[in-house]
Amino acid sequence: MPKQTATNPAATAQVVSEAAGVWLVAAVLALMFVGGTLPTPLYEIYRRQFHFSELVLTLLFATYVVGALGALFVLGRVSDRIGRRRTMLPVIVIAAISTLAFLLPVSLPVLFVGRLLSGLAIGVASGTATAWITELEPGGHRGRATLVTVGANQAGLAIGPVLAGCLAQFSGDPLRLVYAVYLGMLLPAAFITARVPETIAKPARRLRDIASRPRIGVPPDIRPQFVAPAVTAFAIFSLLGFSTGLLPTVLANDLDESSRAVGGAIVGELFLVGTTTVVLSRNLGSRAAMLAGLSMLLPTLALLVLAQAEKSMAILVADSALAGIATALGYRGSLQVVNEIAPGARRAELLSSYLVACYAGISLPVIGVGLLSRLVDSFVANFIFAVVIAAFAVFALIFGLRQADLRR
């Protein structure tokens, strides 16, 4: 598929090369995901300060996902029409407004507004940046573009909880300093974005030229190929949702570990191992990576249950590392499959459909755990969570193997 890079001389005189643009967009994408996981080690502080239940904590986490899903449904294809750069710049502004909300005198409604805006920004940014990186990649190598995208995602998710946990543990203002630091990091992101080449040759300039009807979708001819990566994404992100939303609560309630630095480090470990796995598995084919990640998801879920049952920090640390490998392989492989089958003219739209599966996975099971925890013991709720996600993983594994056989 030929690139759609814009060729306006006035514009190209002010931008960097496409090769540099890949890494600059990746850096901005990583920074956006840093903001997504900043509150992870802070949830317990908010919970004690406002005396809310685990269900409210779950809903607070889910609000972030509602923002992301809403953005994907309403704005999923907007960058295909108005251009990647003209979409990403307002998204950075929204991320900054979200960060400012956390710097205001904290109240529960403000937390919900801040997380909603954060989800909205990341929802649009993830689809836009993924398509942008793919189009900027020299030679049009989609597999390499996927590695860069997933590596940036994992790196950002790793940095967020570690940064927030350390600043919260060792500073005198744990609920504001980290957001002030992050806001300072966002300021140069807009400048970087403005210098990256636009890849939409004829972006719409007038409001009436932009299709306003919300639409995400999968073309009928590639739907069978889309099922396995979509279900894989749901299963993989369910585990990530548990790690970023409820793991600090498990640490505090079941393992008697209240240190924000430790909580942030364990979540950061998952994504750091994931980032390393993405780099080391770069020569592994997309379907092989996806199926390997699904296979490793089963022992990962078993170890998670065992760590809580035995109240063992050592098992939890080992499980976090295994989860990092499983989620990185599953995410990288499934995203690469989607990138490979995506038609160029509807790339952001198809990627948004894939991301809907990701965000549904990161939210729905965690909400279910929160609701179950009001009726049964938290260990039982987490055990049910593990069984359900394992079932999704087995389904995706079987379907993926069938698709692999059909391709032979």
Side-chain angles (χ1 to χ4, degrees), residues 131-343:
W132 205 358
I133 290 170
T134 301
E135 292 159 356
L136 286 168
E137 217 292 316
H141 195 294
R142 296 188 183 185
R144 196 174 327 158
T146 302
L147 285 174
V148 173
T149 301
V150 176
N153 180 310
Q154 296 281 306
L157 293 171
I159 293 168
V162 173
L163 176 65
C166 290
L167 289 178
Q169 186 68 27
F170 303 114
S171 77
D173 194 359
L175 295 181
R176 289 191 176 86
L177 178 60
V178 64
Y179 296 109
V181 171
Y182 181 64
L183 187 61
M185 296 165 68
L186 278 176
L187 293 178
F191 174 78
I192 291 173
T193 301
R195 295 187 60 81
V196 177
E198 178 57 69
T199 54
I200 299 299
K202 295 180 179 180
R205 299 287 179 181
R206 296 172 299 181
L207 186 61
R208 66 183 182 183
D209 294 331
I210 303 170
S212 59
R213 182 169 60 89
R215 188 182 80 184
I216 59 173
V218 181
D221 57 321
I222 62 174
R223 283 175 188 167
Q225 302 172 61
F226 184 78
V227 172
V231 179
T232 298
F234 183 90
I236 290 296
F237 275 79
S238 294
L239 180 59
L240 291 180
F242 183 91
S243 298
T244 56
L246 297 180
L247 188 57
T249 302
V250 172
L251 281 168
N253 294 345
D254 298 318
L255 277 71
D256 298 321
E257 179 55 70
S258 59
S259 169
R260 275 87 70 180
V262 171
I266 290 179
V267 177
E269 175 204 4
L270 187 158
F271 294 113
L272 181 61
V273 171
T275 305
T276 305
T277 300
V278 169
V279 175
L280 295 179
S281 68
R282 60 187 178 276
N283 294 324
L284 192 62
S286 57
R287 290 190 179 276
M290 181 177 72
L291 297 176
L294 285 168
S295 300
M296 294 183 66
L297 196 58
L298 302 178
T300 299
L301 291 165
L303 271 184
L304 178 62
V305 172
L306 182 62
Q308 190 175 4
E310 297 294 326
K311 301 184 183 299
S312 170
M313 179 67 76
I315 295 177
L316 188 63
V317 169
D319 179 67
S320 183
L322 188 60
I325 298 172
T327 54
L329 288 174
Y331 178 35
R332 195 270 281 181
S334 60
L335 177 59
Q336 188 170 334
V337 169
V338 172
N339 241 336
E340 289 167 354
I341 66 175

